[in-house]
Amino acid sequence: MKTAEQYVASLRERDLRLFVRGERVTDPVSHPLVAPSVRTVAESYRLASDPEWRDLMVAHSRLIDGPINRFTHLFETPDDLQKKIQMQRVLGRLTGTCFQRCVGMDAINALYNSTFEVDEARGTAYHARFVDFVRHVQREDLVLCGAMTDPKGDRRKRPSEQPDMYLRVVERRADSIVVRGAKLHQTGVVNAHEVVVMPGRTMGPEDADFTVAFAIPVDAPGVTLVYGRQPSDDRRLGCEIDQGNATYGGQEAVVIFEDVEVPMSRVFLDGEVEFATSLVDYFAGYHRQSYGGCKPGNGDVLIGAAALAARLAGVEKATHIKDKLVEMVHLNETMHGCGVACSTRCAKTPAGNWMVDPLLANVTKLNVTRAPYQMSRLAEEIAGGLLVTTPSAEDFDHPEVGPLLTKYLAGAQGTTEDRIRVLRLIENMTLGATAAVIKTESMHGAGSPQAQRMRIAAQADFEGKMGEAARIAGIGREDVPG
Ligand code: SF4
């Protein structure tokens, strides 16, 4: 396994075509907008060699018969699903943001199932090829970006009706394919070694060219990355205090594929349209489970910051403040409880790895589309208006006005700077750069709320529930209108 330092060094060996705010960037590791997200992923390596966290972060792989970072693991046992969300909670709590490595982990587990099922039904040779790829990822301890979301363009049209809006195969050669298109919202791709591409929706018979899964290095010829903006990301260019969380950050980017050649050894699905839906379902199940780990970890930080802000202001004993903090904990543990539940009620797949309960995974994620917003509201209420009216760090440093600000913004305990730092952290998480992670990503990541409602509707067994209600009401199951 790599150390954190080896991981960062390995990022510098890539030859990325990356754009950040209109400029080509050759060393993203040192770029002020990118560096916090690099440090965050590096934590997943550092913790694996920390005796305190090693048991949680390191798994034994049957594929290579050796220890691996859990982020490269296939879920070989039910305990692996539990350890996964505990690991995510720890990392979410230690960084206060998105640590970016889960999408690739969930993608390899989804493709492990799908390649097995396609081979069983079609006699193809994807699974062995895919397992070889996973062995490589485990041995090299790589970061994977799982790329599923196409631009989609006009939502009324199918992929074949607007080909540029969905990534597709444009040429098939003897031992490779050529792909063109884009994937949006790609978490952590600038910090990854490889991109694992999957189709992002149900496909029809006319959509064969769009039903493609493969893996390529993130710096493969023809791949371009364009870094996404986050709220108040200009703060990354200024004083450390005003950033709220100057050490860690999340990251998303647009990934453009301009006639990228993919060797056949890295193609894991090509045209088998009837398996697109189940692949999306597998990935969605795993990634909706993930949110029951990382978001409560981030929530721990937000709760801690709100409680600390209250203490520094001298209101920590007020009953309404205690009520609000308890409400935040209730919301946070509800998210995590669902994550634990969907991991506990798991089942072995035909391929041999373990799958979470899909209904409970969807319930987990639907809670995550709501609870962080409610928690943010409570944190803002506890923090007070100073959250958005505090002058800049430069003003506090100014010889004339600084002492006046320090005097008039003092609280009940701690220094004025302590108070400002905690408020900036809450601002970062509820309104600033990390609000992208805490709020909008909670809403739309791993599928928007309506996607979870549709799956819950399909998985809820309304007929069975009506039958039970009819029996208890004395109607008789056979009399239930169908
Ligand atoms: Fe992992 Fe959460 Fe970030 Fe997704 S949002 S990559 S689950 S930390």
Side-chain angles (χ1 to χ4, degrees):
M1 291 182 292
K2 284 182 169 63
T3 63
E5 292 73 23
Q6 288 168 333
Y7 161 66
V8 174
S10 73
L11 295 184
R12 290 205 159 99
E13 289 167 12
R14 305 166 307 163
D15 182 21
L16 287 187
R17 182 173 154 79
L18 166 68
F19 291 84
V20 182
R21 297 184 70 179
E23 287 182 358
R24 183 89 188 262
V25 170
T26 53
D27 181 19
V29 170
S30 305
H31 194 287
L33 292 183
V34 186
S37 70
V38 175
R39 288 194 286 269
T40 310
V41 179
E43 283 295 282
S44 73
Y45 288 89
R46 187 186 68 75
L47 261 57
S49 55
D50 182 334
E52 184 180 357
W53 302 112
R54 192 179 158 83
D55 282 352
L56 195 57
M57 298 297 299
V58 177
H60 181 88
S61 165
R62 287 183 196 152
L63 287 189
I64 65 167
D65 191 22
I68 57 167
N69 190 297
R70 189 170 293 284
F71 278 105
T72 67
H73 196 30
L74 297 171
F75 309 126
E76 295 177 357
T77 67
D79 189 51
D80 283 335
L81 291 171
Q82 296 288 346
K83 288 218 168 100
K84 171 194 170 187
I85 57 165
Q86 298 313 326
M87 169 181 74
Q88 290 167 319
R89 182 149 189 179
V90 166
L91 270 164
R93 184 183 177 121
L94 291 181
T95 63
T97 188
C98 165
F99 34 90
Q100 307 151 52
R101 222 177 154 181
C102 325
V103 197
M105 168 176 58
D106 293 337
I108 59 172
N109 277 277
L111 276 164
Y112 188 78
N113 296 338
S114 287
T115 52
F116 182 87
E117 290 175 4
V118 177
D119 284 3
E120 288 281 291
R122 293 285 202 93
T124 45
Y126 293 127
H127 192 64
R129 198 184 276 181
F130 181 71
V131 168
D132 278 348
F133 169 69
V134 176
R135 283 197 186 99
H136 165 69
V137 170
Q138 293 183 342
R139 286 198 184 103
E140 299 299 321
D141 200 0
L142 300 181
V143 173
L144 303 177
C145 163
M148 183 168 266
T149 308
D150 295 283
K152 301 194 193 87
D154 182 342
R155 303 300 173 99
R156 296 167 300 182
K157 293 181 178 171
R158 299 196 60 78
S160 55
E161 296 172 300
Q162 46 170 353
D164 285 341
M165 293 298 125
Y166 289 85
L167 187 140
R168 69 193 190 279
V169 179
V170 292
E171 188 182 341
R172 290 183 175 81
R173 299 173 181 165
D175 53 6
S176 67
I177 61 172
V178 178
V179 298
R180 187 184 303 160
K183 294 285 185 181
L184 306 187
H185 325 305
Q186 291 313 303
T187 298
V189 65
V190 176
N191 300 334
H193 301 97
E194 302 254 355
V195 189
V196 179
V197 170
M198 298 164 284
R201 54 164 290 161
T202 297
M203 298 288 179
E206 66 282 13
D207 299 323
D209 289 344
F210 305 89
T211 310
V212 61
F214 60 87
I216 48 161
V218 71
D219 58 352
V223 175
T224 300
L225 312 178
V226 188
Y227 207 69
R229 292 216 68 167
Q230 292 176 330
S232 304
D233 56 6
D234 283 340
R235 297 276 185 102
R236 297 282 186 214
L237 309 174
C239 175
E240 171 253 338
I241 291 179
D242 281 353
Q243 296 181 45
N245 182 350
T247 308
Y248 303 116
Q251 172 198 110
E252 300 80 27
V254 175
V255 186
I256 299 166
F257 300 78
E258 293 177 288
D259 293 354
V260 176
E261 183 170 19
V262 183
M264 211 53 89
S265 60
R266 290 295 192 87
V267 176
F268 310 130
L269 189 72
D270 181 13
E272 293 82 4
V273 292
E274 67 273 34
F275 292 94
T277 302
S278 56
L279 174 54
V280 172
D281 259 358
Y282 284 139
F283 175 75
Y286 287 129
H287 207 48
R288 289 169 191 172
Q289 172 213 19
S290 283
Y291 278 38
C294 74
K295 300 305 178 192
N298 295 162
D300 289 332
V301 179
L302 188 59
I303 292 166
L308 193 50
R311 181 173 295 173
L312 295 182
V315 294
E316 79 273 28
K317 291 200 167 65
T319 309
H320 72 100
I321 296 291
K322 286 185 194 164
D323 287 349
K324 289 179 180 82
L325 290 170
V326 168
E327 178 66 10
M328 290 178 76
V329 172
H330 173 234
L331 291 163
N332 207 39
E333 298 305 332
T334 300
M335 291 192 288
H336 190 58
C338 285
V340 171
C342 74
S343 310
T344 303
R345 201 186 284 175
C346 56
K348 196 169 188 177
T349 70
N353 60 347
W354 287 79
M355 182 69 208
V356 297
D357 180 277
L359 174 60
L360 290 179
N362 280 297
V363 170
T364 304
K365 175 65 209 326
L366 195 54
N367 278 332
V368 169
T369 66
R370 297 168 179 161
Y373 285 85
Q374 294 166 270
M375 291 172 67
S376 295
R377 184 184 182 283
L378 290 162
E380 288 182 43
E381 189 176 350
I382 292 169
L386 208 50
L387 186 67
V388 291
T389 61
T390 300
S392 71
E394 288 85 351
D395 292 318
F396 282 89
D397 285 341
H398 193 277
E400 293 173 32
V401 79
L404 293 171
L405 289 173
T406 300
K407 172 181 165 185
Y408 287 116
L409 271 60
Q413 297 187 60
T415 65
T416 302
E417 183 179 318
D418 292 341
R419 193 173 182 210
I420 301 308
R421 282 182 177 276
V422 172
L423 291 174
R424 287 296 186 214
L425 175 57
I426 296 172
E427 182 194 33
N428 166 276
M429 298 186 83
T430 58
L431 302 160
T434 306
V437 170
I438 304 289
K439 288 180 171 171
T440 314
E441 191 178 67
S442 292
M443 176 76 81
H444 293 294
S448 303
Q450 191 57 20
Q452 285 106 65
R453 290 192 192 96
M454 286 164 61
R455 297 313 296 152
I456 288 171
Q459 295 158 349
D461 185 24
F462 287 118
E463 291 301 324
K465 289 174 168 49
M466 281 192 283
E468 291 307 322
R471 180 182 60 76
I472 292 168
I475 297 172
R477 281 175 182 271
E478 63 285 354
D479 296 324
V480 175

